[in-house]
Amino acid sequence: PHGPSQNRWWVILKTRVDVKESVRGQTIFIIQTVPRDVNTAIMELLVMTYALKTSCAKNIIGVIPYFPYSKQCKMRKRGSIVCKLLASMLANAGLSHIITMDLHQKEIQGFFSFPVDNLRASPFLLQYIQEEVPDYRNAIIVAKSPSAAKRAQSYAERLRLGLAVIHGEAQCSESDMADGRHSPPFVRNTFGHPGLELPLMMAKEKPPITVVGDVGGRIAIIVDDIIDDVEDFVAAAEILKERGAYKIYIMATHGLLSADAPRLIEESAIDEVVVTNTVPHEVQKLQCPKIKTVDVSMILAEAIRRIHNGESMAYLFRNITVDD
């Protein structure tokens, strides 16, 4: 009971795994998608892996289409690299191999002490553009920020299309957020040795949002790896409309679409959002008919088959560029 009235209870949910048949000496594939409750999914994966390890499974391979916490792969001031922590936890639990798709940064593979097959969704998205976007030859590939330019360039080169880049931010980036380094406020000591005098850093000024490239009279296709909070994409669509684009598509591998994303997409200038089924988003599709799904289960199934039979994975990476 909690509180003086004793009419409320704490509910503690625990994960327990029982392996109902012998897995001794076998290769086990654990397929774990990541629903809304990310932390529960991670704990389930860790407990399942450890249960199989203690049951003497030979190899335990995790099939994780969307690897959670992949955006937290760099040190942010007083933060932590959660992605590396998760990689260490999975290794300690007993995983010996991971199959995933479109890691946020390819360097994440270096966090793991075992092999990682980072599959690509770009062939499926490129095929969708060629087959489902009317008059795609009149399209232009757009990077919503300079950091996404390499991915956009890769798409543009294979489709033989032009490239545009949106430069400038409407809101503060993570690097500009107050991080508490000046609390309590710094007070210069005027007595004694002044200490080391460092040069003052110039304040960063954000440029106004501009589009580098001509999108007038074109179909604008914005490509990215993750679409979660859609405010940036909505702002990008508005500026592209102002510059003359008459139709706007968003292409992304992982459609997290959290919070009010379906409503914001429905009310925006975006015509269509195309994502793969690495993350469940059936509810979001019911709320917003602009969201379309591309099935990538075929490549995941083929990866499982090839690993099980000891075949080369090179076929799955043919015509894949470094910037995909």
Side-chain angles (χ1 to χ4, degrees), residues 37-279:
D37 193 349
V38 176
N39 294 330
T40 298
I42 292 172
M43 199 62 205
E44 288 176 355
L45 178 60
L46 292 169
V47 174
M48 282 190 289
T49 302
Y50 191 68
L52 293 168
K53 177 184 177 182
T54 54
S55 298
C56 300
K58 181 181 179 182
N59 294 309
I60 306 170
I61 302 170
V63 183
I64 312 172
Y66 167 66
F67 194 80
Y69 289 102
S70 60
K71 278 194 171 184
Q72 297 189 40
C73 59
K74 296 180 180 178
M75 180 61 73
R76 298 287 187 184
K77 298 177 181 178
R78 288 197 180 105
S80 60
I81 307 177
V82 181
C83 192
K84 187 177 189 305
L85 171 64
L86 182 55
S88 300
M89 292 168 64
L90 292 172
N92 291 332
L95 276 188
S96 59
H97 196 147
I98 276 184
I99 302 171
T100 187
M101 180 166 282
D102 278 341
L103 289 170
H104 185 59
Q105 298 288 341
K106 297 169 188 63
E107 294 78 9
I108 290 174
Q109 295 175 75
F111 293 161
F112 295 87
S113 58
F114 50 78
V116 177
D117 284 313
N118 182 28
L119 304 176
R120 307 294 200 276
S122 57
F124 296 91
L125 297 176
L126 289 167
Q127 183 181 20
Y128 184 93
I129 293 173
Q130 292 174 321
E131 296 179 356
E132 303 295 335
V133 177
D135 193 23
Y136 85 92
R137 290 292 182 187
N138 189 37
I140 185 169
I141 305 299
V142 180
K144 72 178 181 69
S145 64
S147 61
K150 286 187 176 181
R151 181 187 298 270
Q153 182 181 0
S154 174
Y155 277 67
E157 289 175 350
R158 280 184 287 177
L159 291 169
R160 309 295 192 271
L161 299 176
L163 175 66
V165 179
I166 297 176
H167 181 51
E169 295 286 343
Q171 73 284 344
C172 293
S173 66
E174 293 181 33
S175 59
D176 294 329
M177 295 180 182
D179 67 344
R181 292 189 182 187
H182 301 299
S183 56
F186 175 74
V187 178
R188 182 180 294 275
N189 184 7
T190 57
F191 303 100
H193 193 275
L196 179 64
E197 291 290 340
L198 297 176
L200 294 176
M201 295 293 293
M202 294 181 63
K204 181 180 176 181
E205 295 183 3
K206 289 193 173 296
I209 297 180
T210 57
V211 179
V212 181
D214 183 17
V215 298
R218 301 285 195 90
I219 301 171
I221 303 176
I222 304 175
V223 297
D224 210 339
D225 62 327
I226 299 173
I227 176 169
D228 188 1
D229 297 324
V230 299
E231 285 83 358
D232 289 349
F233 292 94
V234 170
E238 291 176 357
I239 194 71
L240 291 171
K241 279 287 187 182
E242 293 175 3
R243 296 295 190 275
Y246 70 90
K247 208 164 188 179
I248 298 169
Y249 289 79
I250 309 292
M251 299 276 174
T253 303
H254 309 295
L256 305 184
L257 303 169
S258 59
D260 292 332
R263 179 183 60 81
L264 294 173
I265 292 171
E266 186 65 26
E267 296 173 355
S268 71
I270 299 170
D271 292 283
E272 198 167 285
V273 174
V274 183
V275 295
T276 72
N277 55 347
T278 56
V279 178

